[in-house]
């Protein structure tokens, strides 16, 4: 099963006899709210223009629990997540395609959660909404029928804080954030800057081409090989709050490399002052 789909392939499938369920996960990490700016409104962006037939899914409320000790985007309550997916028209035996505004972060979070909870066929629109060349619909759409998907967690590997710390010593733990946050030069959101000791810097921007599409499989494989992935290497990924790291897990999947996600990520790790913090370009 492919983990991504091109815009032309999606257009063809939407026009076919068995169109996929289409979910719009418009979301954006914004640090401007700390200075009093209005937060990004994904629902408003969706209403202003979306792929016809897509149903909006809110990352903060549908794909995560409220922020707390477990991080800024903890795993959602499974019953609530399942109800949101059924309301969006997700069926257990029907393909699902998810898209966002282009980085692939939010869409990958939806992809990962659906796959983690047992959905067998989920793909991310490569390039997101900017890659779509068809017409757009406006307003709010609802699913034409209630889905039947019942999430069963555990289908993909998951890390907690202790597991991430151990993997940084025994395998390869990738930090998907921007390099300056990894190095601790800036930290606009979380309590302290830096990284988990032993983690290797691997910003998600380097998984994409200049047009916002994922690099070809061979180039992704070479990128991760250069970061330390060898045959048999156990790989894990974290970021700030388990969103951009999901895009990294998707990129690793495209390269044929299984990887675990540390959902709590730096927002959970840095909330405990007893956990060690490394700074600078060196993993240790």
């Amino acid at each position: 099963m492919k983990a991504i789909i091109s815009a032309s392939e999606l257009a063809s499938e939407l026009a076919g006899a068995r169109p996929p369920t289409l979910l719009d996960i418009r979301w954006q990490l914004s640090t401007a709210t700390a200075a009093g700016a209005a937060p990004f409104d994904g629902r408003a962006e969706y209403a202003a223009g979306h792929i016809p037939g897509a149903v909006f899914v809110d990352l903060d409320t549908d794909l995560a629990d409220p922020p707390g000790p477990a991080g800024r985007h903890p795993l959602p309550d499974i019953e609530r997540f399942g109800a949101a997916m059924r309301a969006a028209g997700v069926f257990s035996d029907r393909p699902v395609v998810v898209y966002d505004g282009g980085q692939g972060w939010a869409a990958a979070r939806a992809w990962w959660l659906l796959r983690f909870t047992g959905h067998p066929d989920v793909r991310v629109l490569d390039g997101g909404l900017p890659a779509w060349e068809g017409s757009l619909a406006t307003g709010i759409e609802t699913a034409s029928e209630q889905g039947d998907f019942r999430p069963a967690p555990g289908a993909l590997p998951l890390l907690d804080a202790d597991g991430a710390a151990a993997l940084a010593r025994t395998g390869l733990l990738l930090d998907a954030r921007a390099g300056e946050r990894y190095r601790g030069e800036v930290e606009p959101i979380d309590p302290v800057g830096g990284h988990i000791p032993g983690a290797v810097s691997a910003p998600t921007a380097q998984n994409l081409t200049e047009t916002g599409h994922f690099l070809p499989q061979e180039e992704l494989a070479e990128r991760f090989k250069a970061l330390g992935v060898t045959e048999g290497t156990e790989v894990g990924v974290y970021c700030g709050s388990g969103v951009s790291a999901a895009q990294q897990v998707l990129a690793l999947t495209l390269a044929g490399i299984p990887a675990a996600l540390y959902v709590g990520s730096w927002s959970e790790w840095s909330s405990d002052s007893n956990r060690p913090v490394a700074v600078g370009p060196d993993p240790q």
Side-chain angles (χ1 to χ4, degrees):
M1 185 196 73
K2 290 174 61 179
I4 58 174
I5 183 173
S6 70
S8 60
E9 290 171 329
L10 176 59
S12 178
E13 291 193 15
L14 289 174
R18 190 170 179 260
T21 299
L22 188 59
L23 305 180
D24 183 308
I25 326 288
R26 220 79 63 85
W27 177 87
Q28 184 174 301
L29 176 65
S30 175
T31 59
T33 53
F40 177 83
D41 189 340
R43 188 177 298 274
E45 292 288 325
Y46 162 86
H50 59 268
I51 299 175
V55 174
F56 179 73
V57 171
D58 191 300
L59 186 148
D60 290 320
T61 59
D62 296 329
L63 306 183
D65 264 1
R72 279 182 281 111
H73 291 103
L75 285 179
D77 173 81
I78 290 301
E79 290 304 317
R80 185 169 55 79
F81 170 66
M85 293 300 97
R86 292 189 293 274
V90 175
F91 287 82
S92 58
D93 63 349
R94 184 178 300 175
V96 177
V97 173
V98 295
Y99 72 89
D100 57 24
Q103 283 183 307
W105 292 7
R109 171 75 176 216
W111 166 82
W112 185 89
L113 264 174
L114 283 165
R115 295 288 294 118
F116 171 72
T117 55
H119 199 289
D121 191 349
V122 189
R123 290 164 293 171
V124 169
L125 174 60
D126 192 19
L129 185 63
W132 179 253
E133 297 181 350
S135 62
L136 296 177
T138 57
I140 303 294
E141 295 191 51
T142 57
S144 59
E145 54 183 326
Q146 181 87 358
D148 66 1
F149 177 65
R150 299 285 174 179
L156 293 180
L158 179 67
L159 292 172
D160 59 12
D162 290 340
L167 186 58
R169 297 189 301 269
T170 63
L172 181 65
L173 183 65
L174 299 177
D175 185 317
R177 298 172 301 159
E180 58 268 24
R181 292 183 68 193
Y182 169 89
R183 295 187 296 270
E185 296 166 359
V186 298
E187 182 43 64
I189 306 172
D190 294 313
V192 297
H195 58 270
I196 297 173
V200 172
S201 181
T204 57
Q206 296 176 26
N207 295 324
L208 305 176
T209 67
E210 291 182 357
T211 61
H213 294 77
F214 280 96
L215 293 171
Q217 177 183 358
E218 297 78 11
E219 292 184 34
L220 286 171
E222 284 300 315
R223 161 169 158 74
F224 293 120
K225 181 180 179 181
L227 289 168
V229 175
T230 59
E231 187 174 353
T233 302
E234 187 177 355
V235 181
V237 187
Y238 76 95
C239 58
S241 65
V243 177
S244 65
Q247 189 251 46
Q248 189 98 283
V249 172
L250 175 58
L252 285 154
T253 299
L254 296 175
I257 302 164
L261 177 65
Y262 173 24
V263 173
S265 285
W266 188 249
S267 58
E268 178 188 37
W269 183 274
S270 62
S271 68
D272 185 344
S273 60
N274 292 318
R275 295 192 181 108
V277 171
V279 295
D282 188 278
Q284 301 301 330

